[in-house]
Amino acid sequence: MQQPKTRFAPSPTGLLHVGNAYSALICQAWSKSKRAGLLLRIEDIDFTRCRSEFTEAIFQDLDWLGLKWPEPVRIQSEHFDDYRRAIEHLRELGVIYPCFCTRKSIEAEIQRIGLAPHAEEATAIYPGICRNLDVDEQSQRMLSNPFAWRLDIEKAMTLMARPLQWHDESGAAHPANIDHDVVIGRKDISFSYHLSVVVDDALQNISHIIRGQDLEASTGIHRLLQNLLDLPEPTYIHHGLLETLNGERLAKRNCSTTLRSLKELGVKPEKLKQFLLDVENPVWPFAPDDHDQIIRQLA
Ligand code: GLU
């Protein structure tokens, strides 16, 4: 039997924060307890948000935290050809279609058919505007208009021999629901996170995918893509998210405490690890400027 293997796959869109550290430590603890491999992968396909200095910072901050990973690290921006090949495969299967819509045109259509009462809810559900364009019109528009690739969920589901599911570590099956034709090829680079992640997990022989509950909604899409692309099924573990005392999830956009700032305050990585992993559902009780408290408890 192959050695089990997991991965930690951050996107370098900013400095890692304690929520990311929590996820990385869960991957590390799992891999130690199972004598499994742990890879680091840099998911930097979104060049509008990712920066190489944040990639460098990820290596340094994870090293400080005590993570070990084999080299070379897979950096997604160096492998665009792999993802484009997968898009070609899906095109040959006839399960993706070019979508010329803009945010505005999707919102307008959703309002028109009364699918969502508020404009801000629009675009969450794609109403299928470009799903049934005829082939000539598609080819014509592809010559001069930017387009995304969308997965035709209904068509793709007809190719499934069995109901779509994902399995957790206990072997329990979970239904994998997908509610609309998701984008799997962005307008700028012709593939998306959903596609690159399933291609890489297969190429790197990842047997267990450990990631936050916030990504559980993507697991159905990933299982569908794995089936369409003939890729193996990994086991999924969705861990709870580290939250603030107010029950808010820690994220880059709400200015969570970064690992860099903890290191600068003299926090000991071992103490941080204990703090985060010793209870089942930990809470991060410190505000980023709560220096005294942080130093008292973790330095
Ligand atoms: N790169 C993703 C993120 O930083 C994680 C992807 C995954 O674990 O599947 O949120």
Side-chain angles (χ1 to χ4, degrees), residues 7 9-11 43 193 197 211 215:
R7 65 357 179 230
S11 297
E43 302 209 324
Y193 154 70
V197 89
R211 58 187 181 192
L215 288 170

PDB file of all heavy atoms in Angstrom, residues 7 9-11 43 193 197 211 215, ligand 1:
ATOM      1  N   ARG A   7      -1.291  17.419   2.287  1.00  0.00           N
ATOM      2  CA  ARG A   7      -0.556  18.622   1.878  1.00  0.00           C
ATOM      3  C   ARG A   7      -1.159  19.845   2.535  1.00  0.00           C
ATOM      4  O   ARG A   7      -2.331  19.861   2.921  1.00  0.00           O
ATOM      5  CB  ARG A   7      -0.530  18.751   0.354  1.00  0.00           C
ATOM      6  CG  ARG A   7      -1.767  18.984  -0.502  1.00  0.00           C
ATOM      7  CD  ARG A   7      -3.073  19.041   0.044  1.00  0.00           C
ATOM      8  NE  ARG A   7      -4.132  19.288  -0.895  1.00  0.00           N
ATOM      9  CZ  ARG A   7      -5.077  20.216  -0.734  1.00  0.00           C
ATOM     10  NH1 ARG A   7      -5.073  20.975   0.322  1.00  0.00           N
ATOM     11  NH2 ARG A   7      -6.047  20.346  -1.597  1.00  0.00           N
ATOM     12  N   ALA A   9      -1.659  23.795   1.478  1.00  0.00           N
ATOM     13  CA  ALA A   9      -1.600  24.469   0.168  1.00  0.00           C
ATOM     14  C   ALA A   9      -2.038  25.933   0.255  1.00  0.00           C
ATOM     15  O   ALA A   9      -3.093  26.301  -0.241  1.00  0.00           O
ATOM     16  CB  ALA A   9      -2.474  23.694  -0.821  1.00  0.00           C
ATOM     17  N   PRO A  10      -1.220  26.763   0.888  1.00  0.00           N
ATOM     18  CA  PRO A  10      -1.628  28.171   1.027  1.00  0.00           C
ATOM     19  C   PRO A  10      -1.487  28.964  -0.269  1.00  0.00           C
ATOM     20  O   PRO A  10      -0.740  28.580  -1.167  1.00  0.00           O
ATOM     21  CB  PRO A  10      -0.648  28.702   2.074  1.00  0.00           C
ATOM     22  CG  PRO A  10       0.572  27.859   1.923  1.00  0.00           C
ATOM     23  CD  PRO A  10       0.110  26.498   1.486  1.00  0.00           C
ATOM     24  N   SER A  11      -2.239  30.049  -0.339  1.00  0.00           N
ATOM     25  CA  SER A  11      -2.124  30.987  -1.460  1.00  0.00           C
ATOM     26  C   SER A  11      -1.392  32.226  -0.958  1.00  0.00           C
ATOM     27  O   SER A  11      -1.794  32.799   0.067  1.00  0.00           O
ATOM     28  CB  SER A  11      -3.517  31.398  -1.957  1.00  0.00           C
ATOM     29  OG  SER A  11      -4.179  30.264  -2.450  1.00  0.00           O
ATOM     30  N   GLU A  43      -0.189  27.791  -3.965  1.00  0.00           N
ATOM     31  CA  GLU A  43      -1.281  27.949  -4.927  1.00  0.00           C
ATOM     32  C   GLU A  43      -1.366  29.418  -5.350  1.00  0.00           C
ATOM     33  O   GLU A  43      -2.087  30.215  -4.768  1.00  0.00           O
ATOM     34  CB  GLU A  43      -2.579  27.447  -4.300  1.00  0.00           C
ATOM     35  CG  GLU A  43      -2.438  25.982  -3.884  1.00  0.00           C
ATOM     36  CD  GLU A  43      -3.724  25.199  -3.903  1.00  0.00           C
ATOM     37  OE1 GLU A  43      -4.775  25.760  -3.570  1.00  0.00           O
ATOM     38  OE2 GLU A  43      -3.656  23.994  -4.247  1.00  0.00           O
ATOM     39  N   TYR A 193      -8.923  27.708  -9.697  1.00  0.00           N
ATOM     40  CA  TYR A 193      -8.525  26.991  -8.484  1.00  0.00           C
ATOM     41  C   TYR A 193      -9.065  25.554  -8.479  1.00  0.00           C
ATOM     42  O   TYR A 193      -8.322  24.603  -8.208  1.00  0.00           O
ATOM     43  CB  TYR A 193      -9.033  27.766  -7.244  1.00  0.00           C
ATOM     44  CG  TYR A 193      -9.253  26.886  -6.041  1.00  0.00           C
ATOM     45  CD1 TYR A 193      -8.173  26.327  -5.361  1.00  0.00           C
ATOM     46  CD2 TYR A 193     -10.543  26.585  -5.602  1.00  0.00           C
ATOM     47  CE1 TYR A 193      -8.387  25.493  -4.271  1.00  0.00           C
ATOM     48  CE2 TYR A 193     -10.760  25.757  -4.512  1.00  0.00           C
ATOM     49  CZ  TYR A 193      -9.674  25.209  -3.851  1.00  0.00           C
ATOM     50  OH  TYR A 193      -9.886  24.380  -2.789  1.00  0.00           O
ATOM     51  N   VAL A 197      -6.325  22.489  -8.366  1.00  0.00           N
ATOM     52  CA  VAL A 197      -6.218  21.744  -7.114  1.00  0.00           C
ATOM     53  C   VAL A 197      -6.430  20.234  -7.352  1.00  0.00           C
ATOM     54  O   VAL A 197      -5.678  19.407  -6.819  1.00  0.00           O
ATOM     55  CB  VAL A 197      -7.176  22.362  -6.064  1.00  0.00           C
ATOM     56  CG1 VAL A 197      -8.545  21.782  -6.099  1.00  0.00           C
ATOM     57  CG2 VAL A 197      -6.633  22.237  -4.675  1.00  0.00           C
ATOM     58  N   ARG A 211      -8.390  20.231   5.100  1.00  0.00           N
ATOM     59  CA  ARG A 211      -8.535  21.677   4.910  1.00  0.00           C
ATOM     60  C   ARG A 211      -9.747  22.157   5.683  1.00  0.00           C
ATOM     61  O   ARG A 211     -10.547  21.358   6.168  1.00  0.00           O
ATOM     62  CB  ARG A 211      -8.637  22.009   3.411  1.00  0.00           C
ATOM     63  CG  ARG A 211      -9.777  21.315   2.706  1.00  0.00           C
ATOM     64  CD  ARG A 211      -9.709  21.557   1.207  1.00  0.00           C
ATOM     65  NE  ARG A 211     -10.813  20.917   0.520  1.00  0.00           N
ATOM     66  CZ  ARG A 211     -10.896  20.766  -0.786  1.00  0.00           C
ATOM     67  NH1 ARG A 211      -9.923  21.211  -1.560  1.00  0.00           N
ATOM     68  NH2 ARG A 211     -11.941  20.189  -1.340  1.00  0.00           N
ATOM     69  N   LEU A 215     -13.966  25.234   2.921  1.00  0.00           N
ATOM     70  CA  LEU A 215     -13.775  24.709   1.567  1.00  0.00           C
ATOM     71  C   LEU A 215     -14.630  23.472   1.287  1.00  0.00           C
ATOM     72  O   LEU A 215     -14.576  22.900   0.208  1.00  0.00           O
ATOM     73  CB  LEU A 215     -12.291  24.403   1.329  1.00  0.00           C
ATOM     74  CG  LEU A 215     -11.425  25.667   1.186  1.00  0.00           C
ATOM     75  CD1 LEU A 215      -9.949  25.328   1.192  1.00  0.00           C
ATOM     76  CD2 LEU A 215     -11.782  26.438  -0.078  1.00  0.00           C
TER      77      LEU A 215
HETATM   78  N1  GLU B   1      -5.142  27.481  -1.630  1.00  0.00           N
HETATM   79  C1  GLU B   1      -6.347  27.355  -0.877  1.00  0.00           C
HETATM   80  C2  GLU B   1      -6.398  28.433   0.186  1.00  0.00           C
HETATM   81  O1  GLU B   1      -5.383  29.020   0.515  1.00  0.00           O
HETATM   82  C3  GLU B   1      -6.477  25.996  -0.206  1.00  0.00           C
HETATM   83  C4  GLU B   1      -6.841  24.949  -1.162  1.00  0.00           C
HETATM   84  C5  GLU B   1      -7.083  23.561  -0.598  1.00  0.00           C
HETATM   85  O2  GLU B   1      -6.637  23.253   0.505  1.00  0.00           O
HETATM   86  O3  GLU B   1      -7.712  22.781  -1.291  1.00  0.00           O
HETATM   87  O4  GLU B   1      -7.465  28.691   0.685  1.00  0.00           O
END
